[in-house]
Amino acid sequence: MLILECPYCGVKAEETELQPGGEAHLRRAGPGSSDEEFEAYLFLRKNPRGVHFERWRHALGCGKWFLAARCTATLEVFGTYPAQTKEPPREIQDRIRAKRPDWEGWA
């Protein structure tokens, strides 16, 4: 079972207490975007096997959205951080690199 710690209230919650929100750090397609850009935003996701950054909501707790870095193959969680963060914190990136030296970075 996947267990994530909410960075706001500090509760370690099982995935049954959380609501998934898809891939994190997406660039939104705004007004003036081409059809191709909008299609890519709506439908095209990386969905890698391995390190992935996701949005989660602590639905049965504080109700806030947060981001998580985890491995989709092993369910290993590298860390969680506030949803307003533009990129994964350096300590989470360092944790990933320590366990996955071949990881190419979050972007």
Side-chain angles (χ1 to χ4, degrees):
M1 172 154 305
L2 183 62
I3 298 175
L4 299 174
E5 182 174 343
C6 177
Y8 297 104
C9 63
V11 170
K12 289 187 178 184
E14 296 178 356
E15 63 188 297
T16 56
E17 299 176 45
L18 305 168
Q19 175 184 3
E23 186 177 346
H25 304 293
L26 290 177
R27 178 176 285 268
R28 307 291 189 247
S33 298
S34 69
D35 289 345
E36 292 79 17
E37 290 169 327
F38 193 65
E39 176 189 24
Y41 164 69
L42 285 179
F43 303 112
L44 303 180
R45 298 289 187 261
K46 294 176 187 169
N47 198 21
R49 181 177 191 270
V51 177
H52 195 60
F53 298 91
E54 303 169 320
R55 299 176 68 229
W56 289 89
R57 181 174 169 263
H58 193 181
L60 299 182
C62 66
K64 293 185 178 180
W65 284 94
F66 64 91
L67 305 178
R70 71 178 185 96
C71 178
T72 59
T74 64
L75 297 184
E76 178 181 9
V77 177
F78 298 104
T80 59
Y81 50 103
Q84 296 79 14
T85 308
K86 299 285 185 197
E87 65 180 55
R90 175 65 51 206
E91 56 271 9
I92 291 177
Q93 293 185 49
D94 291 344
R95 221 173 286 147
I96 295 169
R97 280 192 185 88
K99 294 218 173 176
R100 308 277 195 293
D102 59 335
W103 182 61
E104 296 178 10
W106 74 277

